Amino acid sequence: MSYLFYVRFGADSQDFDKFMHQLWGLKKVTLVSLRFGSGGSSLPPSTSQAPGRSITVTSSPLQLVNTDGYVGITNSAGTALEIELPIYPSANQVVKLSDEGGNAGTYNWTIVWNGNTVGTVTVNGGFLSLRWNGVNWYRIGAQ
């Protein structure tokens, strides 16, 4: 397999260890993906870039970038929430969005991708699981 994503180094410098004459080693290199959604290189105020985490949303829309796996969301914006899925998903990418704040029944979630509605969350404590099939996002679980 091969992939092509633009990345940058996670730090401006690296710590190499000299283990022999003219031989250097580096144990870890951190790369940060530069795959942004439709917003270009400027991210909206509420952005999730890491899977398996809980985030508090203070404004809508929430743009999910490089998200694969679980994202627990607490909506403190006081309005309905629009959640934009990654515009360039990877093969078989799975995203599970969960209402950790318990107010999706009051402030419904609309999940969109590329301008199209993919699903909604309208149940307090509800969730929506989605998978990318190479062409579109489809629901694999919901409450």
Side-chain angles (χ1 to χ4, degrees), residues 67-99:
T67 301
D68 193 6
Y70 174 83
V71 179
I73 299 172
T74 299
N75 180 4
S76 65
T79 62
L81 181 61
E82 181 176 291
I83 301 172
E84 298 174 359
L85 294 170
I87 196 73
Y88 302 111
S90 58
N92 297 314
Q93 183 171 348
V94 175
V95 175
K96 180 178 180 180
L97 307 171
S98 178
D99 177 27

Side-chain angles (χ1 to χ4, degrees), residues 113-127:
W113 177 75
N114 204 19
N116 300 312
T117 299
V118 177
T120 58
V121 176
T122 59
V123 176
N124 287 345
F127 72 92

Side-chain angles (χ1 to χ4, degrees), residues 9-126:
F9 290 106
D12 291 334
S13 63
Q14 303 293 327
D15 291 324
F16 288 87
D17 295 318
K18 185 175 182 178
F19 63 92
M20 290 181 70
H21 178 68
Q22 295 185 342
L23 293 176
W24 298 81
L26 182 62
K27 293 182 181 181
K28 180 179 177 182
V29 175
T30 303
L31 301 175
V32 178
S33 176
L34 298 177
R35 290 188 325 167
F36 292 114
S38 57
S41 60
S42 60
L43 298 175
S46 297
T47 302
S48 169
Q49 296 196 60
R53 66 182 265 191
S54 298
I55 57 173
T56 300
V57 178
T58 57
S59 65
S60 184
L62 167 65
Q63 184 183 30
L64 298 177
V65 179
N66 303 333
T67 301
D68 193 6
Y70 174 83
V71 179
I73 299 172
T74 299
N75 180 4
S76 65
T79 62
L81 181 61
E82 181 176 291
I83 301 172
E84 298 174 359
L85 294 170
I87 196 73
Y88 302 111
S90 58
N92 297 314
Q93 183 171 348
V94 175
V95 175
K96 180 178 180 180
L97 307 171
S98 178
D99 177 27
E100 285 188 354
N103 61 0
T106 305
Y107 304 116
N108 297 340
W109 299 359
T110 302
I111 293 50
V112 297
W113 177 75
N114 204 19
N116 300 312
T117 299
V118 177
T120 58
V121 176
T122 59
V123 176
N124 287 345

